[in-house]
Amino acid sequence: MSQNPPLDGLRVIEIGSIYAGPYCCQLLGDMGAEVIKIERPGLPDPLRSWAHTDERGVSYHWSVVSRNKHCVTLDVKTVEGRELFLELVAQADVLVENFRPGTMEKWQLGPSDLEKINPRLIYARVSGYGQTGPYAARPGFGLIGEAMSGLRSITGEPGRPPIRAGVSIADAVAGMFTAYGVLACLHELKSSGKGQVVDTALYESLYALMKDFTAMWEADGIVKPPVGTRIPRVVPTGIYTTAEESYVVIGGGTTAVFARLATAMGRPELSQRFPTPALRADNEEEIEAAIEAWVATQTAEAVLNVLEEAGVPASKVYGPQDILADPQYQARDMLLPVEWPGKGVLHFPGVVPKLSRTPGRVTSTLPEMGESNKYVFSELLNRTADELVTYGEKGII
């Protein structure tokens, strides 16, 4: 039998909405943290009905980001609501919020306020531009972070306008960095005994992935263009159309792998003519044209079988039906089954990464608003059933 997940016993308060903060808490919850998500009475997190929904208006996205969470309703702007919140903070290890900077301070719930209640609290904040600097007070969404980080400028086809990534990448990456910061602070807490603030900006989270983007311009005046379907000067790393008009990706950027690819294609002379990365980069179009011609005569299955035999990294570009049928996904428990009202069993992404001894897990999905009010306010904060009724009548919970 496996042991408890690694963050078992860690209590996290989530107060925020949409994606970056809630995604951070999803990651912590996946690894066993107890996450208490706060929503204002009558004002659900917009993520509950975000993007594609079922006939009831429930977002499929919500199932993933809300899993493993205790959802409560609480208006922290009221006197009694603030008192309940502070009592909960006193019992918590981590707080995660993603309001515009200054909002929590306006409610007298900023880091300096909560430090008096719980000096060991890790206070994690996600915002468009961070808590400091000339842009701190500006509103910011993920698409603004994509633009300001430079990511949009290199995403798309050369000569065409920048395009959006297919997922909310700024919020997701910021959520990951925030979880990373929380874990770093929890480790440091062991020696100092003091909590601290984790301050994550959406644009910084993506700029951290841009590596040499600004240095190339400073050093050599090079502005990276949109990269399209290839990695610049790493050849070949393209997407190719098969005979049945599906797509495969082939990664042959190293010298050894390129030689295996050329042989598998029946074109060993290519690796003899272009034995170095620089020569392949300088002759990219000739190499890419040869691969395109070879792939175009075969099915995806045939191409992938040949390349697997040759030891060349390759994959079909998957759609949802490919993922659901893939034995690798199944073998690693990456297809999480969720019983969906009116739809049967649907599958969502499982827990990442896999831990050998204390793996993460998903114990609940699709929490209703206020579903855990009794647990949090009665069991944790010792309020009676009558008090909860009164709070409800006043709009506090």
Side-chain angles (χ1 to χ4, degrees):
M1 176 180 288
S2 64
Q3 298 185 26
N4 290 335
L7 297 184
D8 184 57
L10 186 76
R11 180 167 291 157
V12 178
I13 300 173
E14 174 191 316
I15 180 167
S17 62
I18 306 294
Y19 197 29
Y23 184 61
C24 166
C25 292
Q26 177 209 318
L27 297 177
L28 298 175
D30 280 355
M31 289 299 163
E34 178 187 68
V35 179
I36 299 172
K37 178 178 177 62
I38 295 175
E39 297 171 277
R40 284 184 63 188
L43 291 173
D45 186 336
L47 197 61
R48 288 181 177 271
S49 55
W50 198 257
H52 194 72
T53 66
D54 67 7
E55 292 81 0
R56 301 168 301 149
V58 178
S59 169
Y60 296 109
H61 200 141
W62 171 250
S63 174
V64 180
V65 182
S66 67
R67 68 196 192 191
N68 294 322
K69 295 182 181 180
H70 294 288
C71 283
V72 302
T73 50
L74 181 65
D75 187 350
V76 300
K77 295 193 289 184
T78 64
V79 173
E80 291 170 287
R82 184 174 182 275
E83 289 176 356
L84 288 169
F85 181 76
L86 293 179
E87 287 184 41
L88 190 57
V89 166
Q91 299 183 25
D93 301 291
V94 179
L95 180 138
V96 179
E97 64 96 356
N98 65 328
F99 295 111
R100 193 189 302 191
T103 299
M104 293 290 280
E105 283 79 359
K106 181 174 64 177
W107 297 338
Q108 296 183 308
L109 298 174
S112 61
D113 301 299
L114 300 193
E115 184 181 16
K116 300 170 186 175
I117 305 297
N118 184 351
R120 295 174 60 87
L121 183 72
I122 307 303
Y123 195 123
R125 323 189 75 173
V126 193
S127 59
Y129 303 95
Q131 302 296 314
T132 59
Y135 301 168
R138 293 182 181 180
F141 286 135
L143 74 167
I144 308 303
E146 289 180 39
M148 188 173 172
S149 68
L151 179 64
R152 285 267 178 124
S153 74
I154 62 171
T155 305
E157 293 290 339
R160 297 184 62 81
I163 63 173
R164 178 185 179 272
V167 295
S168 299
I169 191 168
D171 292 278
V173 173
M176 291 179 183
F177 272 119
T178 304
Y180 167 59
V182 166
L183 297 178
C185 290
L186 288 169
H187 180 72
E188 193 278 337
L189 178 67
K190 296 176 184 178
S191 58
S192 71
K194 298 179 180 179
Q196 58 182 305
V197 174
V198 178
D199 178 3
T200 307
L202 295 178
Y203 82 94
E204 290 174 348
S205 298
L206 289 183
Y207 178 64
L209 306 183
M210 295 295 286
K211 302 181 180 70
D212 57 358
F213 183 67
T214 46
M216 282 177 56
W217 182 81
E218 290 175 309
D220 300 316
I222 295 174
V223 177
K224 279 189 175 181
V227 299
T229 61
R230 304 172 186 172
I231 301 175
R233 295 195 65 78
V234 181
V235 180
T237 51
I239 296 177
Y240 310 96
T241 307
T242 66
E244 80 267 53
E245 296 189 343
S246 62
Y247 300 99
V248 296
V249 176
I250 299 174
T254 68
T255 298
V257 174
F258 180 67
R260 295 199 294 269
L261 171 61
T263 299
M265 291 168 49
R267 297 288 305 276
E269 76 280 2
L270 291 175
S271 64
Q272 297 163 5
R273 290 175 57 204
F274 310 123
T276 67
L279 281 172
R280 291 193 291 278
D282 291 341
N283 294 274
E284 178 177 10
E285 294 310 318
E286 180 179 350
I287 294 169
E288 293 290 349
I291 300 171
E292 288 170 2
W294 177 67
V295 172
T297 65
Q298 304 178 72
T299 64
E301 183 179 8
V303 170
L304 297 177
N305 285 340
V306 168
L307 296 184
E308 181 180 359
E309 181 76 20
V312 176
S315 175
K316 182 182 177 182
V317 176
Y318 274 18
Q321 67 278 20
D322 301 301
I323 290 173
L324 290 169
D326 192 289
Q328 182 69 16
Y329 275 85
Q330 297 166 7
R332 289 179 57 79
D333 295 326
M334 273 308 296
L335 299 173
L336 177 72
V338 174
E339 186 70 40
W340 197 282
K343 301 290 184 181
V345 176
L346 305 182
H347 292 89
F348 296 87
V351 176
V352 177
K354 312 300 183 188
L355 305 187
S356 63
R357 187 168 49 81
T358 59
R361 80 291 181 265
V362 176
T363 59
S364 63
T365 59
L366 295 171
E368 299 289 342
M369 276 193 75
E371 179 179 286
S372 294
N373 280 2
K374 182 178 179 181
Y375 165 67
V376 172
F377 300 125
S378 293
E379 295 186 33
L380 298 185
L381 302 186
N382 300 313
R383 296 306 195 271
T384 65
D386 288 342
E387 286 177 302
L388 263 59
V389 171
T390 301
Y391 289 144
E393 292 171 346
K394 291 181 176 181
I396 295 168
I397 66 172

